[in-house]
Amino acid sequence: MSSSFYRDMKGSTHRLAPHEIVVPAVPDDERIWVPQAPDVWFRPLMLNTLAGQWCNLLRVRKSGVLSRHLHPNPVHGFVLKGRWHYLEHDWVATEGSYVMEPPGEIHTLTVPEDVPEMITFFNITGCMVYLDENDRHIGFEDVFTKIDMCRAHYEKVGLGSDYVDQFVR
């Protein structure tokens, strides 16, 4: 019996957690990338509804400001391709860079003009709160809005709305 099961006192087995997820990070099938904005997509890797967490790849094929936002919890990122930075900081996240974003910090993700494609792995718990230039709330994303986006996209491209279920925990 695998370690993801336990036996109760009566000898019945119960699943402790759903199966592990093992998927190719950068998919061959373009339909797996979910559009988020013009020239911006995400590829879900894990969507944890119990903890309000999601892990995904963010792919950007445009330069300029992507979004101004904050998170109520820490965010972890790892740059796989290209580079990006926050307007509020003097560092640049390049390929191989690890980024930890502290909770509550407002930052504006920007991709330089000479970067044709940026791909970054992000691990996010909680939500992304989108802000305007006056720090007013203009939208949000969380694991449930991500799942909804995936369901609608996968249905539209012929994979079926339940295609996202493999990433849900």
Side-chain angles (χ1 to χ4, degrees), residues 11-159:
S12 299
T13 59
H14 304 275
R15 182 175 297 284
L16 288 173
H19 292 291
E20 64 277 358
I21 300 173
V22 180
V23 296
V26 180
D28 292 332
D29 188 342
E30 279 293 313
R31 298 177 301 166
I32 296 172
W33 291 97
V34 179
Q36 187 166 307
D39 298 318
V40 179
W41 302 263
F42 72 93
R43 186 271 197 267
L45 297 169
M46 188 272 303
L47 301 158
N48 183 338
T49 61
L50 298 176
Q53 173 195 26
W54 73 93
C55 294
N56 68 202
L57 298 180
L58 178 68
R59 180 175 72 181
V60 180
R61 290 183 172 162
K62 70 174 187 174
S63 63
V65 171
L66 189 59
S67 70
R68 187 164 190 275
H69 63 276
L70 64 79
H71 309 271
N73 297 299
V75 170
H76 304 274
F78 187 82
V79 182
L80 300 174
K81 185 175 184 180
R83 66 186 191 286
W84 55 271
H85 67 280
Y86 288 135
L87 294 179
E88 297 80 7
H89 295 284
D90 61 0
W91 52 261
V92 175
T94 59
E95 288 182 24
S97 292
Y98 164 77
V99 176
M100 185 280 210
E101 302 173 7
E105 178 188 270
I106 296 172
H107 39 261
T108 309
L109 196 151
T110 305
V111 177
E113 282 191 31
D114 63 339
V115 176
E117 181 176 68
M118 179 277 279
I119 299 176
T120 299
F121 167 82
F122 282 107
N123 180 347
I124 299 169
T125 301
C127 64
M128 289 184 62
V129 178
Y130 293 106
L131 304 168
D132 69 11
E133 62 280 350
N134 297 310
D135 297 339
R136 289 186 299 236
H137 172 255
I138 57 171
F140 78 96
E141 288 183 349
D142 64 12
V143 67
F144 300 104
T145 63
K146 290 292 196 186
I147 291 169
D148 289 346
M149 291 168 69
C150 290
R151 283 198 194 290
H153 171 70
Y154 293 147
E155 182 67 30
K156 181 179 177 181
V157 299
L159 292 172

